[in-house]
Amino acid sequence: MSHEKSLGRRAYLKAVGAGSAIALAGCLTDGGDGAGGDGNGSDNASGNGTGNETGNETADPVGEGGQIVAGTAPGFPPFEMEEGGDLVGFDVDLLEAVVGETDYELSGWETFEFGSLISALTNGRIDVIAAAMTINEEREEVIAFTDAYFEANQSILVASGSDFQPEELSDLGGHPIGAQKGTTGEGIIQSELIDAGDLEESNYNAYDNYVLAVTDLENGNIDAIVVDVPVAETFQQERDVEVAFEYETGEAYGFGVRQNDDQLREALNEGLAAVEENGTYEDISAEWFNTES
């Protein structure tokens, strides 16, 4: 299939605006702030948000060579965010490059709150999730994942120059802390702190996205945030916050597809292998993570 753009992605996004269905012409190979993000398995097929999903798994598989719609959750820099009306980020560029290596055509993007992505997928509103979504057993009961394309741990973010400098999770006890709803960060707070009796549930603040959480952290309304390392490092560069310490989780991100979309999943896996082999993955990583290409 042709990889040429009939209309530049960024120009087109500016034309139609952000935050809704975004049509793209053809297969694209190019690739702030943002609510995306990983997460752990607290989201499910009945989530709500900007979509109108009800969680019914009624969508048919996408046929071979068909058009597909991608879904993401802006607000998780550098993976997915909106800049000047454009949807940008590592996941955006990577999925477009991966699809460009398949016989499928990426016809558009839709944006949701992170917790609504799985229900949007199972309802057939989108065909693939590209949102730094951690592969875990709870999610795999509802959707399928491609091969892993990124590994990450969690980190604890505090305000720059704060007197509060935690060194381990137990240090967060007794402090107001936050995370984005449905993410791995929220899952760790629940399982490792609240369930363990180290943190009162009333001290946990759940946010629709990490941008709001960081703003509350800067304003002194909370003392720390639990968030994926690459996202924390991005906020550290752009906002008045700093990473206090990392908490190893060994998470792996994958693109999400419906459980019965084996053809699409296999095609995306082949596309992932292709972009890793031809250097595109390394180029995209260099752009978004300032790594050597």
Side-chain angles (χ1 to χ4, degrees), residues 9 17 31-32 63 81 124 133 170 205 211 221 223 248 250 268 280:
R9 177 172 64 85
M81 56 274 192
M133 184 170 281
S170 60
N205 296 268
V211 176
N221 296 320
D223 288 341
E248 186 172 351
L268 293 175
T280 301

Side-chain angles (χ1 to χ4, degrees), residues 95-119:
L95 181 68
E96 291 176 355
V98 167
V99 174
E101 297 290 340
T102 74
D103 289 331
Y104 289 90
E105 183 174 352
L106 184 57
S107 61
W109 286 86
E110 289 203 28
T111 58
F112 300 84
E113 293 177 1
F114 185 75
S116 299
L117 283 167
I118 287 181
S119 54

Side-chain angles (χ1 to χ4, degrees), residues 194-213:
I194 296 175
D195 292 349
D198 290 335
L199 183 76
E200 295 291 332
E201 192 153 8
S202 59
N203 266 340
Y204 171 55
N205 296 268
Y207 296 87
D208 287 336
N209 63 68
Y210 275 113
V211 176
L212 299 176

Side-chain angles (χ1 to χ4, degrees), residues 154-158 164 169 172 175-190 193-194 199-210 212-214 216-217 221-228:
Q154 292 292 300
S155 62
I156 282 62
L157 204 59
V158 299
F164 180 54
L169 281 183
L172 300 177
H175 291 267
I177 61 176
Q180 180 177 306
K181 298 173 185 174
T183 63
T184 304
E186 179 178 74
I188 288 173
I189 290 171
Q190 183 67 49
L193 293 172
I194 296 175
L199 183 76
E200 295 291 332
E201 192 153 8
S202 59
N203 266 340
Y204 171 55
N205 296 268
Y207 296 87
D208 287 336
N209 63 68
Y210 275 113
L212 299 176
V214 168
D216 249 10
L217 181 62
N221 296 320
I222 56 176
D223 288 341
I225 295 170
V226 182
V227 59
D228 300 49

